[in-house]
Structures are given as C-alpha cells and as structure tokens.
Amino acid sequence: SQKIEQNSEALNIQEGKTATLTCNYTNYSPAYLQWYRQDPGRGPVFLLLIRENEKEKRKERLKVTFDTTLKQSLFHITASQPADSATYLCALLRGTYKYIFGTGTRLKVLA
Amino acid sequence: NAGVTQTPKFQVLKTGQSMTLQCAQDMNHEYMSWYRQDPGMGLRLIHYSVGAGITDQGEVPNGYNVSRSTTEDFPLRLLSAAPSQTSVYFCASTGQEGRSPLHFGNGTRLTVT
C-alpha cells in the first residue's frame, strides 16, 4: 500500500540556518506532491505544490524539490526564523481524490 | 471569507453515544473530506465526497457515516462512539483534485470515555 515517510523526530536548528525536511514515498508515482504547515491546535495550511515534471519550486524563503526516481521530496526553509517553528506535512494524491499525508516533521528554530 | 468551518471545537462523549461533527465551506468546492489525526499516525482519510449526493470511503471508514446533501455541508456521524475514536478530526475541501490545495478547518477535538 501507499506509504509516505517523514522524519518523525523533531528537527532543531539555529535561527538563520537552512532547514531541510524529507518526504519519501513508496509504491506509487504521484502526479502532484504538496507541503503543508500545521501549528498546534490548528488545521494544516497549504504552502507549496510541485508537479512530477517539475524538479524544483520556490516561494519566498521556501524551496521544494521532487525527485521521482528516488521517490523523494525535499522541503527547504532558508534563513529560518523562530516563527517558522511548526509541524510540516507532505501529501500526495492517490488516484483521483484520495490525498495521503505523511506523519509530519516538527521543526523548532532556536533564537 | 470564512473558508472551512467546523463545529464543535471540543466534545466529550460516553461510549455508545452518538453525535454529528459539522463541516461547512463557503468556497463552492466540490470535493470535501474528513480526516482524523492521531499522534504518530498522521492524518488519515475517513470519508470523502466529490459532489452533492456522492460519497466514498477513505482509509479508516469504520464507525463513521457521511452524507452530502448540499455543496456547502459535509457532516460526519458517529453512531455509537468508542474510545478508539478519541482523536482530532479535520474537515478539508478543494475545488480541483491534486492541482489545488486542500483548505482545512481548525478541527474538532473529540474524547470518548
């Protein structure tokens, strides 16, 4: 069955550094992969979408890569700030309508 | 623009009780879905709907019922609550599968004792 793996352990980094989060998937070749941010007590909020024919996508300090050969997406936050501290989820579409989410990686940016 | 609204925010039930979690969206989205989020398990799809009158099962549908009589509303019913249904429930909607982001509500935290 489709499986998405994200680092379950929290990632602590120093303010100003680049945070890199990993999303690995198996048994499927999704046409789209999405990244979300979730703050405590809130629903996930969409950040970026990348298509299978795109290697890289950028939005301000955020960058996502998508390697369909490795079945992996990397999510980068450059010049990280304490306000970037949150849980980050990756998601892919299985079939036409079933979105499958990873368990998320908790990021803490230390001032 | 309210987006996706879920009610209630918190609920405590006794085993065997029934209740309905409400979800409404004002974006005219055809696709709506329900997820549960448990520690270490991530978001798991319970049921989804691709339009009024059309629903289908997700990964963990047992113990839950849904219906979609209007585009705006997608309620989730627990007919006989069990402690295993203690979780945080999220409703989400989107206009186009895959190519558009999911818009989430802020969740209902349910405890079944």
Side-chain angles (χ1 to χ4, degrees):
Chain A
S1 63
Q2 178 66 53
K3 193 172 180 181
I4 304 178
E5 293 182 346
Q6 294 185 255
N7 288 347
S8 57
E9 294 182 12
L11 177 64
N12 293 336
I13 65 166
Q14 211 59 40
E15 183 177 7
K17 299 293 187 184
T18 296
T20 298
L21 284 66
T22 305
C23 175
N24 295 300
Y25 59 94
T26 60
N27 299 335
Y28 195 62
S29 297
Y32 308 94
L33 191 144
Q34 303 180 358
W35 283 88
Y36 291 79
R37 167 183 173 141
Q38 186 174 24
D39 292 288
R42 311 283 288 183
V45 174
F46 172 78
L47 296 174
L48 282 168
L49 176 150
I50 188 165
R51 294 172 173 76
E52 61 179 340
N53 60 353
E54 295 176 317
K55 297 293 185 188
E56 182 179 297
K57 196 85 168 278
R58 290 176 186 261
K59 179 182 176 183
E60 298 172 352
R61 296 184 295 110
L62 308 181
K63 184 178 84 170
V64 172
T65 62
F66 195 8
D67 188 325
T68 55
T69 302
L70 291 178
K71 294 187 181 294
Q72 181 181 78
S73 175
L74 298 179
F75 178 81
H76 307 271
I77 306 174
T78 58
S80 58
Q81 305 166 358
D84 295 325
S85 299
T87 296
Y88 292 86
L89 309 168
C90 69
L92 55 82
L93 193 64
R94 187 177 72 190
T96 306
Y97 295 109
K98 292 184 178 180
Y99 292 79
I100 307 299
F101 282 81
T103 53
T105 298
R106 192 167 70 248
L107 172 67
K108 186 171 183 179
V109 180
L110 306 170
Chain B
N1 193 343
V4 178
T5 303
Q6 289 185 240
T7 56
K9 293 189 188 304
F10 301 95
Q11 183 71 49
V12 179
L13 290 178
K14 293 190 186 320
T15 297
Q17 288 184 317
S18 63
M19 79 159 295
T20 300
L21 281 64
Q22 302 291 344
C23 175
Q25 52 91 9
D26 61 0
M27 297 170 283
N28 201 31
H29 284 166
E30 289 296 324
Y31 178 91
M32 296 185 74
S33 53
W34 277 101
Y35 289 84
R36 60 178 289 173
Q37 188 172 39
D38 303 289
M41 302 290 286
L43 285 160
R44 291 183 292 167
L45 182 63
I46 304 172
H47 285 286
Y48 65 97
S49 169
V50 299
I54 306 170
T55 64
D56 205 346
Q57 296 181 348
E59 300 171 83
V60 288
N62 292 340
Y64 307 95
N65 280 355
V66 293
S67 60
R68 184 97 178 268
S69 56
T70 67
T71 299
E72 295 77 22
D73 301 297
F74 189 44
L76 178 73
R77 296 184 190 85
L78 284 70
L79 298 178
S80 180
S84 61
Q85 293 179 304
T86 294
S87 186
V88 181
Y89 291 86
F90 289 99
C91 178
S93 72
T94 188
Q96 293 178 303
E97 81 290 348
R99 292 163 285 177
S100 294
L102 285 170
H103 297 258
F104 282 85
N106 281 323
T108 294
R109 184 175 292 274
L110 175 68
T111 301
V112 183
T113 60

